[in-house]
Amino acid sequence: MQPPIATPASAPSVPAAPESWDFSHCTATLADDPDGVRDYAEDWRSHGGGLEAEQCAALAEMELGDVATAATTLDRLAHVPDWPAGPPEGRRGNRHAVVETPASRLRRASVAEAAARAWQADDSPKQAFDSATYGLTLAPDDPALKLVYARVAVELGQPQRAIDMLTPLPSAPAARDEALVARAGAWRQLGRIDQGMADINAALHDMPHNGAALLERGILYQRQGQMEQARADWLDVVKQAPDSDEADLARQDLALLETDPEAP
């Protein structure tokens, strides 16, 4: 009787080398599989992923709802020089200034913008304002940073800062339309309803079904005493995107309108 033939043991899986990992791969499925992205990022970190792996993990935490943790991490990362590698171990803590490249500063600015958005999601406008302000020291002309700065300024009751930041408007059409919506809200806070309406109608000319723009125009119509027009815009918001944050706000405005139809 022949002895049983030995079968070779399965070779253990070998982790990928650090150079085979990358940020775009890490974030590719962020919206669809944030749990998987977080696992990938943590594995990448254990293989020397450094700052980019930390950023990817923070973005996954944000998608998973832990926005405070994500915001804290992103804000810390934005202040680390020499992106994406970070300062070598031997340089940490010494007194020599780090010489950055333009690309490094732009990358840090984008991380600061992500931190500001995370703070907004955490209902922490002061921290969001601080992150956006810091990002603008790195990239003063960045449209995304200017927009988040302006939105938070409006939230903090500082509309003139928002208007100053968004004037002149960005040249890119999509950024321009978002800036028009944000600036309209700032004009409204200042009581300059006609200027707000001019901005919001310009934005809606390019994106007639935008929920944020329709929500804002409804508020402006209400301030003008045009209640039926306000109602129509808010109903349009709810109809187009019933699960959106804008729809929730529109429902609140509609409920108030039912309670006191004549209130401006």
Side-chain angles (χ1 to χ4, degrees):
M1 181 176 178
Q2 291 183 342
I5 299 173
T7 57
S10 299
S13 59
V14 179
E19 56 268 20
S20 70
W21 305 74
D22 66 78
F23 185 76
S24 61
H25 189 187
C26 188
T27 56
T29 59
L30 190 59
D32 298 326
D33 185 19
D35 279 305
V37 169
R38 181 174 57 184
D39 292 343
Y40 179 103
E42 292 302 327
D43 201 11
W44 185 17
R45 282 187 67 184
S46 70
H47 290 86
L51 302 180
E52 288 190 309
E54 286 192 73
Q55 182 189 7
C56 185
L59 295 175
E61 294 290 354
M62 189 173 175
E63 286 291 326
L64 290 166
D66 192 356
V67 289
T69 298
T72 301
T73 300
L74 291 166
D75 189 67
R76 172 177 58 80
L77 293 175
H79 287 76
V80 179
D82 276 9
W83 265 83
E89 291 292 339
R91 285 214 318 245
R92 289 178 185 168
N94 71 17
R95 298 183 179 180
H96 295 292
V98 175
V99 179
E100 285 196 284
T101 65
S104 170
R105 290 178 68 85
L106 288 175
R107 182 63 183 272
R108 289 207 290 138
S110 73
V111 178
E113 189 257 334
R117 287 187 289 104
W119 285 125
Q120 278 188 288
D122 188 51
D123 294 324
S124 301
K126 177 60 171 64
Q127 290 91 329
F129 191 78
D130 290 344
S131 289
T133 300
Y134 178 72
L136 287 165
T137 68
L138 301 169
D141 297 321
D142 184 88
L145 274 166
K146 285 185 171 185
L147 183 62
V148 71
Y149 175 100
R151 285 172 172 165
V152 178
V154 170
E155 191 174 351
L156 290 171
Q158 301 177 36
Q160 191 59 56
R161 284 191 172 189
I163 291 165
D164 292 343
M165 181 58 67
L166 296 176
T167 308
L169 293 164
S171 56
R176 175 181 174 275
D177 290 334
E178 288 193 71
L180 282 166
V181 176
R183 198 171 69 174
W187 289 126
R188 171 170 53 83
Q189 275 196 4
L190 289 173
R192 296 161 74 169
I193 305 303
D194 289 345
Q195 285 173 281
M197 190 64 81
D199 273 359
I200 211 67
N201 282 330
L204 282 166
H205 180 270
D206 295 332
M207 45 182 195
H209 304 298
N210 182 271
L214 287 168
L215 179 69
E216 179 61 43
R217 190 172 68 176
I219 298 170
L220 291 166
Y221 274 139
Q222 183 191 39
R223 293 294 179 87
Q224 291 179 329
Q226 301 184 56
M227 301 309 180
E228 288 308 310
Q229 291 91 329
R231 186 196 309 275
D233 274 348
W234 293 334
L235 287 172
D236 204 5
V237 174
V238 174
K239 178 181 177 181
Q240 291 187 43
D243 297 326
S244 66
D245 291 340
E246 289 82 7
D248 289 341
L249 293 171
R251 289 188 188 96
Q252 294 175 31
D253 289 331
L254 286 164
L256 290 172
L257 196 61
E258 292 302 320
T259 302
D260 188 359
E262 301 303 320

